[in-house]
Structure formats: C-alpha cells, structure tokens
Amino acid sequence: MTGRSRLAALILAAALALVIVSRSLFRDDDSGPHEISGLTMGTFFNVTIDDSDVTAVELSRIRDTIQSRLDQVERLMSTYDTDSELSRFNRHESAVPFAASQQMLEVFSAALVVSERSDGAFDVTVKPLVDAWGFGPPGRPPVPPADSVLAALAPAIGYRLVEVDLEAGTLTKANPKTVADLSAIAKGYGVDRVAAALDSLGLMGFLVEVGGEVKARGRKRDGSSWNVGIERPDTDRRTAYETLRLADAAVATSGDYRNHYEIDGIRYSHIIDPRTRAPIRHLGASVTVVHTEATFADAWATALSVLGPDQGMVVAEREGLAALFLVRSGSGFEVRRTSEYRRIADEAIED
Ligand code: AMP
Ligand code: MG
C-alpha cells in the first residue's frame, strides 16, 4: 500500500472503530450527548460529553481546547514532522543534554518505567528497527532487511541509552546516534492530556478516544457506565469481541492485525521485539490493557504484545495489570484474562 492509501485505510478503520464505541449513545432530543471529532496524529479522535449543562458557546470552547491539546502532542512527538521536538531530539547527535519540554519528559519517564517493568520489551529506541522493517517515514522495503543490517543498528538501541533528568529538564543520550519513536505511547498520552483539560473545565462525564485508545470519566447522565468495545482482531472487518463497562479508567489495544504486510506468506507486524530485532512472530493477535492512565495502558498494550500471550500473561500478573489477550486458535481466537482484568469485568457486571 502507498503511504496515502495506508493513511486512507487507517482513517476508514478508525472511523469504523468509532462507530463501535459510540453507537447507541445518543438520545432523540438535542440534549446530548455531545460529540466532538477530528483528526490528529494520522488518525481520528472522538470525544463524547454527556453533560446537559454544556451550552453551544462552551462546546465550541471545549472543541478548541481538545484540538489544541492534541495538536500540541503531535507537534512535539510526531516522527513524520521534521520540525517536531522529537525529530529535533533525534537529529541531536550529541552526548550534550537536550533541553526538552515538560510533556516530552513526562512521556520519556513513563516509557522508561514500562521498559524497566517489561524487561525491555517496550523500548522507544527501537526506531531504527521500525524504519528498517518499513514501518517508519522511509516506507516499506522490497525485501526484509538482512540480519547484518539489523545487527549494525544494535549499538544505538536500548532504553538505558537515554537518561531523563526531570530537575534539569533534559534528555541525554549515552550513544549520540540513539533515536526514539513515541508512536506506542503518544496517543495514550494525548488521551490523558485531553481528559485532564476536560477535568479542569469541570466536566464530569466524558469518553475520550484517540485512534482506539480510550479514557472514560465519570458516568453517563443516566448513571450508567460507558461502554467500550474490544475489537475482534480481524484485518478485514471491525466487530466487537466483548464490551467493557467503565467509569474512571483507560483502555488501549495493541496488535499485529492493524498494521502489517506480507512477503512470501510471512506476516510482518509493526511491533518489533527488541530481543530478536524483528517483528513479533507469536500467535497473540491483540492485547487490551485497562489502566488508570491511558499513557500506561497504551505503553503496556504494546509491551505485552511484544512479550506475547505466554510471557505476557506472566508479566501482566506480576505487575497486577488488567490485560486481555486474544490468541489465534484454529479459525478463531482463544481468550486469556489476567486476574485483575477479571476483577474489573466482574465489578462492571455487578454495577
Ligand atoms: P501501538 O500501536 O501502540 O502498539 O504502537 C506500535 C508502534 O510503536 C509501532 O508502529 C512502532 O512505531 C512502535 N514500536 C514498535 N515496536 C516497539 C517496541 N518494542 N517498543 C516501543 N515502541 C515500539
Ligand atoms: Mg501502545
């Protein structure tokens, strides 16, 4: 697929995903819920606000606030925008500390926590591998990269090569060639930023979604919780595998079914295992994580996708994470839920 048709497919897919999340939310009168959607970070965002006191003027202010928060995250963290702060950090081939924005420091700090806790499965410095396998700005290679090409990239890869100094406000590279890709965490961070902005505007019930990463706040006006569909990991159709009812929580899903290509019948996914320097190869099709913060839900969903259903379940239980794995089995899927996920799902059924 060309970059443009891939973007079009992505936008269509995101639009269909929104239908799953938001269908049946709306009342017949015009008292809401209010829906605000648009484009950001190469995907769709959608915010549903269930608050009858919101006036048209406030709604337009809310819309501007949401768009500006998301635009800010994109301006800082896009790898496609050569002027973004992340692109400047990546061009900063030096061991001299790089003065970073508060937002970049927050995202790098969260990324490092998940890297440490996932035994290095999550690693934002895998960017050269992401690019080599054809999932970055350079686009798809005609043949898979040779082992020697991947091995030559290895010295600059490793999350420990970037040091975050919150007091000094800097990021420092131990290897000047190290570069980062925040795609696995930035959408979740954007969701948290929007939710925080809506909180400070005094809104009590809303659902924020950016490209499939979701955060629910409070309840709907009728007292019920928000429904979030977990997708069946099919490439060609979008249906919900199961529905989660949430009050104050974030959900993110990661998987190899959204962005991949095939050469000679082998599927190459956009999720790279830093240990093998190659796209993941296990049978896990998707991982969904429920967390208080979308930033962590997003990063953990990617980390557990790297680890796969076997190791991933062990790490998720060890970390007390609410995670659901969908594993390919015959023509369908086998589901595995951690004990924390089962607890949350049971609580939602009882409420
Ligand atoms: P997500 O859709 O949130 O799982 O993020 C996937 C994206 O994160 C990929 O398209 C890559 O840009 C990047 N990525 C791939 N592998 C990793 C990894 N092991 N750790 C962190 N980011 C990764
Ligand atoms: Mg992610």
Side-chain angles (χ1 to χ4, degrees):
M1 251 196 260
T2 63
R4 186 170 296 190
S5 58
R6 209 162 56 234
L7 181 64
L10 196 71
I11 289 173
L12 178 66
L16 292 173
L18 297 182
V19 173
I20 295 177
V21 171
S22 57
R23 197 171 36 209
S24 82
L25 281 176
F26 294 87
R27 301 185 181 91
D28 291 337
D29 59 36
D30 60 0
S31 65
H34 308 284
E35 195 172 11
I36 298 169
S37 27
L39 283 169
T40 188
M41 301 183 232
T43 185
F44 256 106
F45 72 83
N46 190 66
V47 180
T48 307
I49 296 165
D50 202 4
D51 188 330
S52 55
D53 297 335
V54 174
T55 64
V57 175
E58 281 163 347
L59 208 56
S60 128
R61 207 173 111 226
I62 292 168
R63 184 187 305 277
D64 292 347
T65 304
I66 293 169
Q67 188 76 56
S68 77
R69 288 294 187 282
L70 292 172
D71 287 350
Q72 188 185 35
V73 174
E74 184 170 12
R75 255 196 325 275
L76 293 172
M77 298 175 201
S78 168
T79 45
Y80 287 83
D81 174 0
T82 52
D83 289 332
S84 70
E85 187 173 323
L86 181 62
S87 294
R88 283 198 292 109
F89 171 73
N90 287 345
R91 283 196 301 272
H92 177 79
E93 288 193 12
S94 163
V96 173
F98 175 89
S101 63
Q102 183 60 32
Q103 290 95 320
M104 283 274 279
L105 294 167
E106 281 173 19
V107 170
F108 269 89
S109 301
L112 286 184
V113 169
V114 178
S115 295
E116 289 280 357
R117 306 298 316 177
S118 67
D119 309 321
F122 189 79
D123 190 334
V124 294
T125 68
V126 295
K127 183 179 191 308
L129 298 174
V130 172
D131 291 349
W133 283 100
F135 294 102
R140 208 138 289 174
V143 290
D147 284 349
S148 56
V149 171
L150 300 173
L153 300 171
I157 297 171
Y159 67 91
R160 290 195 177 90
L161 296 171
V162 180
E163 192 195 318
V164 184
D165 186 333
L166 293 176
E167 263 172 37
T170 56
L171 299 170
T172 307
K173 300 180 184 185
N175 181 331
K177 295 275 185 219
T178 296
V179 288
D181 170 3
L182 301 175
S183 314
I185 189 169
K187 279 188 290 179
Y189 181 72
V191 168
D192 284 334
R193 297 282 299 171
V194 169
L198 299 182
D199 282 341
S200 56
L201 289 173
L203 296 169
M204 310 290 270
F206 54 81
L207 188 75
V208 179
E209 195 238 331
V210 177
E213 324 299 16
V214 180
K215 191 172 205 173
R217 172 72 75 231
R219 286 171 180 269
K220 288 187 265 177
R221 244 185 304 157
D222 62 10
S224 63
S225 352
W226 298 95
N227 292 328
V228 176
I230 297 174
E231 257 175 20
R232 261 180 77 87
D234 299 319
T235 312
D236 47 352
R237 59 195 176 124
R238 299 245 151 179
T239 49
Y241 181 85
E242 71 179 42
T243 305
L244 258 180
R245 293 201 291 156
L246 299 174
D248 283 300
V251 190
T253 298
S254 187
D256 72 355
Y257 66 105
R258 290 235 179 105
N259 191 359
H260 66 269
Y261 59 89
E262 282 187 23
I263 299 179
D264 296 335
I266 298 176
R267 172 194 284 256
Y268 296 97
S269 152
H270 67 138
I271 297 170
I272 308 288
D273 186 335
R275 299 163 298 184
T276 60
R277 303 183 193 127
I280 51 173
R281 294 298 302 272
H282 50 70
L283 289 173
S286 77
V287 184
T288 297
V289 174
V290 185
H291 199 283
T292 48
E293 288 175 68
T295 307
F296 283 96
D298 193 356
W300 269 116
T302 307
L304 297 179
S305 287
V306 171
L307 292 169
D310 296 334
Q311 278 182 38
M313 273 297 278
V314 174
V315 170
E317 287 290 4
R318 182 189 78 198
E319 297 297 318
L321 292 168
L324 174 143
F325 292 77
L326 290 175
V327 187
R328 289 194 182 84
S329 168
S331 56
F333 301 100
E334 178 205 321
V335 60
R336 297 187 198 171
R337 300 175 178 87
T338 62
S339 38
E340 182 61 11
Y341 186 97
R342 287 199 301 272
R343 194 185 66 73
I344 287 176
D346 289 348
E347 221 169 58
I349 291 165
E350 281 158 20
D351 112 287

